[in-house]
mmCIF file of all heavy atoms in Angstrom:
data_model
loop_
_atom_site.group_PDB
_atom_site.id
_atom_site.type_symbol
_atom_site.label_atom_id
_atom_site.label_comp_id
_atom_site.label_asym_id
_atom_site.label_seq_id
_atom_site.Cartn_x
_atom_site.Cartn_y
_atom_site.Cartn_z
ATOM 1 N N ALA A 35 3.432 0.773 4.728
ATOM 2 C CA ALA A 35 2.264 0.857 3.853
ATOM 3 C C ALA A 35 1.223 1.817 4.425
ATOM 4 O O ALA A 35 0.644 2.630 3.688
ATOM 5 C CB ALA A 35 1.654 -0.526 3.645
ATOM 6 N N LEU A 36 0.984 1.763 5.731
ATOM 7 C CA LEU A 36 0.030 2.683 6.356
ATOM 8 C C LEU A 36 0.511 4.125 6.272
ATOM 9 O O LEU A 36 -0.287 5.044 6.047
ATOM 10 C CB LEU A 36 -0.208 2.287 7.813
ATOM 11 C CG LEU A 36 -1.021 1.021 8.021
ATOM 12 C CD1 LEU A 36 -1.057 0.645 9.498
ATOM 13 C CD2 LEU A 36 -2.434 1.209 7.499
ATOM 14 N N ILE A 37 1.804 4.348 6.442
ATOM 15 C CA ILE A 37 2.353 5.699 6.331
ATOM 16 C C ILE A 37 2.162 6.227 4.911
ATOM 17 O O ILE A 37 1.764 7.377 4.713
ATOM 18 C CB ILE A 37 3.834 5.728 6.755
ATOM 19 C CG1 ILE A 37 3.940 5.502 8.262
ATOM 20 C CG2 ILE A 37 4.503 7.037 6.354
ATOM 21 C CD1 ILE A 37 5.350 5.270 8.759
ATOM 22 N N VAL A 38 2.437 5.401 3.918
ATOM 23 C CA VAL A 38 2.289 5.820 2.523
ATOM 24 C C VAL A 38 0.824 6.138 2.211
ATOM 25 O O VAL A 38 0.526 7.149 1.558
ATOM 26 C CB VAL A 38 2.843 4.743 1.570
ATOM 27 C CG1 VAL A 38 2.444 5.017 0.131
ATOM 28 C CG2 VAL A 38 4.353 4.657 1.698
ATOM 29 N N ILE A 39 -0.087 5.307 2.684
ATOM 30 C CA ILE A 39 -1.513 5.556 2.447
ATOM 31 C C ILE A 39 -1.933 6.875 3.085
ATOM 32 O O ILE A 39 -2.665 7.675 2.478
ATOM 33 C CB ILE A 39 -2.362 4.386 2.975
ATOM 34 C CG1 ILE A 39 -2.145 3.151 2.099
ATOM 35 C CG2 ILE A 39 -3.842 4.751 3.040
ATOM 36 C CD1 ILE A 39 -2.728 1.881 2.661
ATOM 37 N N THR A 40 -1.458 7.146 4.300
ATOM 38 C CA THR A 40 -1.770 8.400 4.974
ATOM 39 C C THR A 40 -1.202 9.584 4.208
ATOM 40 O O THR A 40 -1.872 10.610 4.052
ATOM 41 C CB THR A 40 -1.214 8.375 6.413
ATOM 42 O OG1 THR A 40 -1.756 7.250 7.098
ATOM 43 C CG2 THR A 40 -1.556 9.645 7.156
ATOM 44 N N MET A 41 0.029 9.453 3.723
ATOM 45 C CA MET A 41 0.642 10.532 2.949
ATOM 46 C C MET A 41 -0.148 10.811 1.673
ATOM 47 O O MET A 41 -0.365 11.972 1.316
ATOM 48 C CB MET A 41 2.093 10.192 2.617
ATOM 49 C CG MET A 41 3.018 10.237 3.808
ATOM 50 S SD MET A 41 4.676 9.613 3.464
ATOM 51 C CE MET A 41 5.195 10.688 2.153
ATOM 52 N N LEU A 42 -0.567 9.760 0.978
ATOM 53 C CA LEU A 42 -1.332 9.941 -0.249
ATOM 54 C C LEU A 42 -2.677 10.622 0.023
ATOM 55 O O LEU A 42 -3.103 11.497 -0.735
ATOM 56 C CB LEU A 42 -1.540 8.608 -0.954
ATOM 57 C CG LEU A 42 -0.285 7.986 -1.573
ATOM 58 C CD1 LEU A 42 -0.594 6.599 -2.112
ATOM 59 C CD2 LEU A 42 0.270 8.872 -2.666
ATOM 60 N N ALA A 43 -3.328 10.242 1.102
ATOM 61 C CA ALA A 43 -4.610 10.865 1.451
ATOM 62 C C ALA A 43 -4.407 12.340 1.788
ATOM 63 O O ALA A 43 -5.198 13.192 1.369
ATOM 64 C CB ALA A 43 -5.240 10.127 2.625
ATOM 65 N N SER A 44 -3.358 12.653 2.523
ATOM 66 C CA SER A 44 -3.066 14.043 2.860
ATOM 67 C C SER A 44 -2.733 14.846 1.617
ATOM 68 O O SER A 44 -3.175 15.983 1.458
ATOM 69 C CB SER A 44 -1.897 14.128 3.848
ATOM 70 O OG SER A 44 -2.221 13.468 5.035
ATOM 71 N N LEU A 45 -1.941 14.276 0.740
ATOM 72 C CA LEU A 45 -1.571 14.953 -0.496
ATOM 73 C C LEU A 45 -2.800 15.221 -1.356
ATOM 74 O O LEU A 45 -2.903 16.280 -1.988
ATOM 75 C CB LEU A 45 -0.550 14.116 -1.269
ATOM 76 C CG LEU A 45 0.036 14.740 -2.517
ATOM 77 C CD1 LEU A 45 0.772 16.026 -2.191
ATOM 78 C CD2 LEU A 45 0.991 13.768 -3.187
#
Side-chain angles (χ1 to χ4, degrees):
L36 288 174
I37 290 170
V38 168
I39 290 169
T40 303
M41 289 172 59
L42 290 174
S44 299
L45 186 61

